[in-house]
Every structure is written in C-alpha cells, then in structure tokens.
Amino acid sequence: CKCNLGSGIVATSLGTPSSTQAGNCSREVIQAGGEVRFDVDATCLSDYDLGDFDFMVFNFPHTGARQTGRTPGLIQASIESNQNLLCGVFRSAAVVLRRHGRIHITLKNVYPYSQWNIVRIALQFGWKCLRTFEFPQQQLRDLGYAHETTLNLQQRVILKEPTTFEFVRSCTGLT
C-alpha cells in the first residue's frame, strides 16, 4: 500500500531530471504521491511557487568549488563559497517555512566542512540550532540512497560521521 506517503513532499534539485541520482529519486517521490521540481536554486526559493512548508531538508549542500590542489587559497575560497551558499539557504528558508518550521542541513563532519561555521551563519539570519544528530546513512542506504558529489566524481564517497543540524527560528520560543 503506497497510501500517498509522499503527499505534501516537494523534492527539489538544482540539477536536471537526466542526472542519475535525481532521476532515480524523483520516480520514487512521485510514486509515493510527492512532487519533484528541477532547476530549483535553494538560495532563492521565493522565485518558485513551492508553497509553505513545515520542514526543509538539505543534505550535503556544496557549491562544487574545488577543495583540493596546491593552489594557495583554494580551500579558503571553497569554504567562503559554501558559507555564501548557506547564507542564501537560511535567507531563502525564511520565505517558504511556516512560523514554527524547521531546517535540517547535513554536513560531513571533517575539514573543510567543519570550517563552514553553519551555526554562526544560521544565527545571522535568525535561526538557532535546536539540536544535532548523526545522519541516518545506513537506514537511508538500505532504502537505496547513494551519496553523490556535486561534480559527479567517479569514486564512491565515504561519509564519515556526517552530522545533521536542526534549526528553528530564533523567535519561535522553542528550545
């Protein structure tokens, strides 16, 4: 029984339906009764008619900026690029989330991701970290989830203890 388990879910992707992971996931969301939108930029959600939501989930956001190599400043440039992405996401979330809405953002728990200062950035945009928890990667893997990189690297990505941050608006009174 499918029972429209995906009813009320709108999955978005910056990518196109032809990307492997997006294509596979979109079929499953639609079959479960959800909706899928492509070419959606999470930093300007008000540009799309998506509706209002209680939850926003963004697993492993990344701009695709290179983080390896011998070029001085390359890693710092990547950190700043991804911090700007997070700024845009928090600003944009305020438009589509209901008053008591929550944001879940999952990051790898290693350098340079640990330098993104996600909690500090969230505070700048009126969000506070309610809690953190371990990303349920094994349960999701059992359901068919496979982590893909922004650049579609050919090697399998190993996720070492990724952390999900749960944010609420600073003014909601939730603790």
Side-chain angles (χ1 to χ4, degrees):
C1 170
K2 290 284 184 195
C3 304
N4 285 331
L5 295 175
S7 179
I9 291 177
V10 178
T12 65
S13 172
L14 184 59
T16 64
S18 61
S19 67
T20 307
Q21 187 74 6
N24 291 340
C25 290
S26 64
R27 281 189 296 280
E28 292 179 22
V29 170
I30 291 167
Q31 288 173 352
E35 180 182 348
V36 178
R37 301 271 191 99
F38 294 97
D39 297 316
V40 175
D41 183 343
T43 65
C44 53
L45 294 171
S46 63
D47 291 355
Y48 310 92
D49 183 24
L50 298 173
D52 295 325
F53 299 97
D54 294 313
F55 282 93
M56 178 176 165
V57 177
F58 199 166
N59 290 327
F60 308 103
H62 199 284
T63 62
R66 289 197 56 213
Q67 301 182 140
T68 59
R70 298 180 188 262
T71 307
L74 188 66
I75 292 176
Q76 185 58 38
S78 173
I79 290 169
E80 291 170 8
S81 169
N82 286 290
Q83 287 174 329
N84 288 334
L85 170 64
L86 291 173
C87 289
V89 168
F90 285 114
R91 184 183 310 109
S92 186
V95 176
V96 297
L97 285 175
R98 294 183 179 108
R99 183 171 183 268
H100 293 288
R102 296 174 183 225
I103 307 172
H104 285 195
I105 298 180
T106 302
L107 299 178
K108 295 178 183 178
N109 200 14
V110 296
Y111 182 82
Y113 307 93
S114 57
Q115 300 301 303
W116 291 8
N117 297 314
I118 188 170
V119 173
R120 180 183 54 78
I121 290 171
L123 282 171
Q124 293 173 353
F125 292 91
W127 298 92
K128 68 179 178 181
C129 187
L130 184 63
R131 67 183 178 128
T132 61
F133 55 92
E134 185 179 335
F135 179 71
Q137 60 183 322
Q138 187 56 52
Q139 292 97 325
L140 293 173
R141 193 176 296 125
D142 291 346
L143 294 170
Y145 174 80
H147 184 71
E148 282 191 1
T149 65
T150 307
L151 301 176
N152 290 318
L153 300 175
Q154 297 304 310
Q155 72 264 24
R156 184 174 174 91
V157 176
I158 305 300
L159 299 176
K160 295 181 181 176
E161 301 176 18
T163 300
T164 300
F165 297 81
E166 182 175 2
F167 297 96
V168 296
R169 295 177 200 265
S170 297
C171 61
T172 62
L174 295 175
T175 56

